[in-house]
Amino acid sequence: MQNYHGTCCITGMQIPKLLIASHIKPWKASTPNEKTAASNGLLLNAFHDRAFDQGLISIDDDYRIMVNHDKVRHSDINDRWLYDFDGHEISLPAISQPSHEFIEYHHKHIFLANAA
């Protein structure tokens, strides 16, 4: 929470009860050191945390949001909550930017896995 100044890195939301310290490389796939690494974390609101965990969104090596076009169809609501962020850079933390190694893992094993 402190590393991201209590702010969702996608939306800028600052409601602590709706923010989740999310793992880029999932907890169950991480080593003990990776589980606690600040570089394996994003601060997300609950909605975008779930979308990230389900591979509906990811981030690229330039820290820009990517929407999984194979898993998310366009609609007014999906466009507002997901596609409107497509290509936008996340807000980066004070220290320990997200690791490209963890981003690559998420992209390969979560975002691109089991396309619809």
Side-chain angles (χ1 to χ4, degrees):
M1 288 283 271
Q2 286 180 300
N3 200 26
Y4 281 90
H5 305 290
T7 303
C8 172
C9 68
I10 293 177
T11 64
M13 179 182 289
Q14 295 181 322
I15 304 171
K17 291 184 179 189
L18 294 177
L19 298 177
I20 298 172
S22 304
H23 286 86
I24 301 167
K25 182 177 181 181
W27 179 269
K28 66 183 177 187
S30 296
T31 67
N33 286 341
E34 292 171 338
K35 288 178 181 180
T36 59
S39 62
N40 190 21
L42 299 172
L43 188 60
L44 300 172
N45 68 75
F47 175 82
H48 287 101
D49 171 68
R50 181 75 172 162
F52 190 82
D53 285 350
Q54 295 300 310
L56 303 179
I57 60 173
S58 191
I59 56 175
D60 66 18
D61 284 337
D62 294 321
Y63 306 111
R64 296 190 183 283
I65 301 296
M66 300 183 307
V67 176
N68 192 323
H69 295 259
D70 293 332
K71 295 180 182 179
V72 180
R73 66 179 175 79
H74 279 280
S75 71
D76 289 343
I77 296 299
N78 293 350
D79 289 355
R80 184 178 313 141
W81 287 94
L82 295 170
Y83 281 106
D84 281 358
F85 297 100
D86 198 21
H88 290 223
E89 188 174 339
I90 65 169
S91 298
L92 294 172
I95 57 169
S96 295
Q97 291 184 353
S99 162
H100 292 289
E101 178 184 338
F102 297 134
I103 293 168
E104 182 179 334
Y105 182 94
H106 185 270
H107 191 79
K108 286 183 179 176
H109 298 281
I110 311 296
F111 187 70
L112 295 177
N114 303 319

